[in-house]
Amino acid sequence: MRSLRGSSLTLAFLGFFLLALVGQALVGHAAYNQSEALQGGAQVSLGDYLTGPDFAVDVAENWQSEYLQFFLLIVLTVWLVQKGSPESKALGTEGRESDEEQMLGAYATADSPRWARVGGWRSAWYARSLGWTMGLLFVGSWFAQSVAGWAAYNEERLSAGYAKWSWWEYVRNPDFWDRSLQNWQSEFLAVASMALFAIFLRERGSPESKKVGAAHHVTGAE
């Protein structure tokens, strides 16, 4: 039970994720068949829908925008600050910081991760591993969205009597960029809103908020 409690945040969000994914699958399947019925098309089974491009592109286009949001937030907050926001470092601490401040190499402790202690390329990579991972997940899910969207778009073209497009033709098409940009703009607005609202508003007990009595100008972990 102690182990579960120690991972409760991750487990809760994984549970929410699975519930939402199942709900999306069921509702998406119903909506797909409803659309096909209006156009005189054939109904598809849940299994066929889940293995088809329409479900895949809907999932991937949301994943890539989320990973893009976290990638940019992680990397840009190294240098960019917002006075008064707990999402920001304190003013004057912009940049990668010194090895001593980051407990890297000779300044690592016995409890520090091994790759933080060994130095060389391993420590250099580990020092940027979170940003690299989020960036690669973004690129991978964006590519998955492009492939699934390409397949779904070609199905529409074939049903309308047009020839298939190549992948390169599709990624230059407004359909692909419309799917991407409509998600990106909402993610960027959400991050900006969180950084701004957290200057003046509080959520007692949350690490995403400053202490209730903290002054508005207090930034990050000041």
Side-chain angles (χ1 to χ4, degrees):
M1 291 300 295
R2 183 178 298 177
S3 177
L4 290 176
R5 184 180 180 184
S7 301
S8 58
L9 183 61
T10 299
L11 293 173
F13 272 94
L14 285 176
F16 295 151
F17 162 71
L18 291 175
L19 288 173
L21 188 63
V22 170
Q24 179 186 353
L26 297 176
V27 174
H29 175 236
Y32 181 85
N33 278 337
Q34 189 177 65
S35 177
E36 288 296 303
L38 290 174
Q39 299 175 29
Q43 302 289 284
V44 300
S45 67
L46 179 61
D48 288 338
Y49 173 71
L50 294 180
T51 56
D54 290 274
F55 178 68
V57 71
D58 287 342
V59 171
E61 73 181 43
N62 285 285
W63 288 8
Q64 58 91 0
S65 63
E66 295 295 339
Y67 284 123
L68 175 63
Q69 173 196 150
F70 283 113
F71 168 70
L72 291 177
L73 182 62
I74 290 165
V75 174
L76 292 183
T77 50
V78 174
W79 294 283
L80 305 183
V81 295
Q82 172 58 59
K83 183 178 180 180
S85 177
E87 300 296 314
S88 166
K89 295 195 295 185
L91 277 69
T93 62
E94 300 91 336
R96 292 290 183 184
E97 301 176 354
S98 67
D99 287 356
E100 183 177 5
E101 291 172 311
Q102 287 291 313
M103 300 167 62
L104 191 63
Y107 300 100
T109 67
D111 292 331
S112 296
R114 181 172 178 269
W115 279 32
R117 291 185 273 115
V118 294
W121 69 268
R122 287 177 292 181
S123 288
W125 179 87
Y126 188 68
R128 294 166 176 79
S129 56
L130 183 59
W132 273 107
T133 299
M134 289 298 177
L136 289 173
L137 286 170
F138 161 64
V139 172
S141 54
W142 198 24
F143 178 71
Q145 176 201 335
S146 73
V147 173
W150 172 44
Y153 194 73
N154 274 336
E155 283 188 356
E156 294 179 6
R157 289 184 61 84
L158 289 174
S159 64
Y162 295 102
K164 287 184 176 182
W165 273 6
S166 68
W167 175 83
W168 180 241
E169 287 176 311
Y170 174 69
V171 296
R172 293 183 296 164
N173 186 54
D175 180 78
F176 174 68
W177 287 102
D178 178 56
R179 286 181 174 274
S180 295
L181 292 171
Q182 66 178 303
N183 285 282
W184 291 2
Q185 54 86 13
S186 62
E187 302 298 342
F188 298 154
L189 178 62
V191 173
S193 299
M194 179 62 182
L196 182 62
F197 292 160
I199 298 173
F200 308 103
L201 306 179
R202 308 288 189 270
E203 185 59 44
R204 182 172 181 171
S206 174
E208 299 302 313
S209 167
K210 294 185 288 190
K211 293 186 183 299
V212 179
H216 292 328
H217 63 78
V218 171
T219 306
E222 283 185 340

